[in-house]
């Protein structure tokens, strides 16, 4: 099935162009980059590679549209109508988007269907926020009417990663547009195609010229000058912690707001009162969905010692049953990692883990029966892992997890919190009181109880520590795409003559 897709796509080898000021165009330099199918290693298209010149053009278009008021100054109700039209178009084109994203990033079609099908509702949710938003009237001392207005920021830079191109974009694009901002989107150079298609649907829905702009290209050539641009008022970035740190510094130089969703080292804590099958199924889902290429993946599975050996045995059986292969085959459960470079990095981390004493429970090799040329790795589990090992501390971003024992509740909490990351964790227990107690002590931005990977447009998404700053989705995200303006109205009909000779007491503030 992959081969058929490649034939149909490669007959024209599409080029992901830029979209600036209402027009698709090539970069000023004319430079292009190849786009690779990670399941086969074959070229499936190209992208037009932007640089600083193109970034400046895109930011200017976004700024001009914002200042014109064509989107920023219309009512929330009118913006909501456009976003709801877009959500309907998004939904009507889901089948095409499923297949295009699977082709581009290698996720099994069953995963892209399950994830992308929910995304139109993100735009509906934020359309509802825009439609129903009310400014606050705040009681203050004295004869004054005091109210707070939330106003859009201006130009927002939205930079997304390869692992969930449409989902990550939707989390920030929906609130950015709902609040009246103009945007410049910079997708990963590895997965540009679904973003281009989404922009086409936005145009069809009626987004005004210049409000949405798209630049493709390398992070250092397009992403860095975008984050550094003085006219960008907010930067949203999803990716690695060190790149995020650099982007955060650039944004801080011109006092831009920022939301950075960065690395993670998720902990899945399993207590001995949990049904073993449920625990194994939950841990497998947490660790290997998206080939482990998610910042919230369950890359550390902490199991109470009394069931540790039983868990290892059952977990090995489960992991060995996971089917890797052609992402377009509905039976495939695990796709490739994104690139040869990524695969090489992961394999080096596995060698380091072995050298440090970790033992392989299963996996750990490049499979010989996977599609030829693809960047596949067997689903891999390590045990006899100690907290100080690299594999227990650093993000792998691949289908790799470790299983570590703990004795008591406090041990599990200490191990889980013992990393520089704090994005997501899961707690598996049938003890209701313990589940809430443990969740309250975990230094993570998101905690799931008897579940993992759950996302909703109404729920804030983000982490603590080196996992980033700010929140995507939820009311928090809606408000973070705005700035507050306080308006105070003297309702007495009189003005104090401060400089009169009268000794009458006067109020200064």
């Amino acid at each position: 099935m992959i081969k058929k897709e490649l034939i149909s796509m490669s007959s024209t080898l599409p080029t992901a162009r830029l979209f600036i000021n209402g027009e698709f165009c090539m970069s000023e330099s004319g430079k292009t980059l190849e786009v690779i199918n990670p399941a086969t290693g074959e070229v499936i298209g190209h992208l037009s590679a932007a640089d600083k010149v193109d970034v400046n053009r895109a930011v200017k278009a976004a700024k001009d549209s914002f200042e014109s008021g064509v989107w920023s100054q219309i009512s929330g109700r009118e913006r909501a109508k456009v976003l709801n039209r877009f959500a309907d178009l998004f939904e009507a084109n889901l089948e095409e988007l499923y297949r295009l994203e699977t082709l581009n990033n290698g996720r099994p079609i069953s995963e892209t269907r399950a994830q992308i099908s929910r995304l139109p509702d993100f735009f509906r949710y934020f359309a509802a926020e825009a439609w129903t938003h009310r400014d606050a009237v705040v009681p203050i001392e004295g004869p004054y009417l005091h109210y707070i207005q939330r106003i859009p920021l201006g130009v927002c830079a939205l930079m997304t990663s390869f692992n969930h191109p449409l989902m990550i974009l939707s989390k920030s694009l929906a609130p950015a547009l709902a609040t009246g901002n103009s945007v410049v989107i910079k997708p990963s150079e590895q997965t540009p195609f679904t973003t281009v298609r989404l922009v086409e649907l936005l145009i069809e829905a009626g987004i005004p010229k210049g409000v949405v702009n798209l630049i493709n290209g390398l992070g250092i050539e397009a992403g860095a000058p975008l984050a550094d641009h003085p006219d960008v008022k907010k930067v949203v970035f999803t990716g690695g912690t060190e790149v995020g740190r650099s982007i955060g510094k650039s944004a801080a130089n011109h006092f831009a707001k920022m939301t950075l969703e960065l690395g993670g080292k998720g902990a899945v804590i399993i207590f001995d009162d949990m049904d073993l099958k449920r625990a194994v199924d939950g841990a497998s889902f947490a660790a290997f969905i998206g080939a482990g290429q998610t910042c919230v993946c369950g890359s550390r599975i902490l199991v109470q010692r009394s069931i540790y050996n039983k868990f290892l045995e059952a977990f090995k059986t489960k992991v060995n049953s996971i089917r890797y292969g052609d992402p377009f085959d509905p039976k495939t459960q695990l796709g490739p990692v994104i690139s040869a470079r990524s695969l090489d990095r992961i394999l080096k981390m596995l060698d380091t883990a072995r050298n440090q004493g970790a033992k392989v429970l299963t996996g750990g090799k490049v499979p010989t029966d996977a599609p030829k040329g693809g960047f596949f790795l067997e689903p891999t589990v390590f045990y006899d892992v100690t907290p100080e090992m690299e594999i227990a501390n650093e993000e792998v971003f691949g289908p790799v997890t470790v299983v570590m024992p703990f004795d008591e509740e406090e041990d599990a909490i200490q191990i889980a919190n013992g990393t520089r990351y704090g994005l997501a964790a899961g707690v598996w227990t049938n003890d209701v009181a313990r589940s809430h107690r443990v969740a309250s002590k975990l230094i993570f931005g998101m905690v799931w109880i008897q579940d993992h990977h759950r996302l909703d447009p109404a729920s804030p998404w983000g982490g603590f520590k080196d996992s980033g700053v700010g929140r995507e989705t939820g009311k928090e995200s809606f408000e973070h795409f705005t700035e507050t303006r306080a308006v105070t109205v003297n309702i007495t009909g009189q003005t104090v003559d401060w400089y009169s000779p009268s000794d009458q007491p006067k109020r200064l503030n």
Side-chain angles (χ1 to χ4, degrees), residues 32 56 152:
T32 62
N56 289 340

Side-chain angles (χ1 to χ4, degrees), residues 230-299:
D231 288 332
V232 169
K233 302 303 181 185
K234 177 168 181 176
V235 176
V236 182
F237 171 77
T238 298
T241 294
E242 296 313 311
V243 176
R245 200 186 308 278
S246 174
I247 287 172
K249 290 177 181 178
S250 294
N253 284 336
H254 52 96
F255 302 106
K257 286 190 174 189
M258 65 186 84
T259 296
L260 307 175
E261 200 262 76
L262 308 177
K265 197 66 181 174
V268 177
I269 304 173
I270 300 172
F271 289 92
D272 60 7
D273 65 342
M274 195 67 214
D275 175 78
L276 185 63
K277 184 179 186 306
R278 286 192 65 193
V280 166
D281 289 347
S284 303
F285 172 69
F288 298 113
I289 199 76
Q293 296 176 118
T294 72
C295 296
V296 300
C297 80
S299 56

Side-chain angles (χ1 to χ4, degrees), residues 14-25:
T15 297
R17 294 180 294 167
L18 317 183
F19 185 73
I20 298 175
N21 201 28
E23 295 182 357
F24 281 103
C25 58

Side-chain angles (χ1 to χ4, degrees), residues 155-337:
V155 180
C156 298
L158 312 180
M159 294 186 276
T160 63
S161 61
F162 68 83
N163 51 342
H164 313 292
L166 286 183
M167 186 268 282
I168 290 173
L169 177 58
S170 296
K171 285 194 299 182
S172 55
L173 180 62
L177 293 178
T179 46
N181 296 283
S182 293
V183 301
V184 179
I185 302 166
K186 161 59 177 81
S188 167
E189 65 275 12
Q190 295 169 306
T191 53
F193 289 131
T194 48
T195 302
V196 173
R197 183 65 184 122
L198 212 66
V199 168
E200 292 175 343
L201 296 176
L202 283 164
I203 300 165
E204 189 176 345
I207 291 289
K209 177 181 177 180
V211 173
V212 173
N213 301 272
L214 168 67
I215 56 169
N216 288 304
L218 297 172
I220 194 169
E221 295 177 358
L226 179 60
D228 200 44
H229 199 291
D231 288 332
V232 169
K233 302 303 181 185
K234 177 168 181 176
V235 176
V236 182
F237 171 77
T238 298
T241 294
E242 296 313 311
V243 176
R245 200 186 308 278
S246 174
I247 287 172
K249 290 177 181 178
S250 294
N253 284 336
H254 52 96
F255 302 106
K257 286 190 174 189
M258 65 186 84
T259 296
L260 307 175
E261 200 262 76
L262 308 177
K265 197 66 181 174
V268 177
I269 304 173
I270 300 172
F271 289 92
D272 60 7
D273 65 342
M274 195 67 214
D275 175 78
L276 185 63
K277 184 179 186 306
R278 286 192 65 193
V280 166
D281 289 347
S284 303
F285 172 69
F288 298 113
I289 199 76
Q293 296 176 118
T294 72
C295 296
V296 300
C297 80
S299 56
R300 294 178 300 151
I301 301 171
L302 314 183
V303 181
Q304 199 154 22
R305 197 177 299 275
S306 58
I307 62 168
Y308 181 69
N309 289 332
K310 288 183 179 179
F311 179 88
L312 286 177
E313 182 180 350
F315 194 51
K316 179 179 180 179
T317 300
K318 182 68 176 182
V319 174
N320 285 340
S321 74
I322 295 174
R323 297 186 296 271
Y324 49 81
D326 177 354
F328 282 99
D329 185 342
K331 295 181 180 179
T332 294
Q333 298 169 320
L334 185 74
V337 297

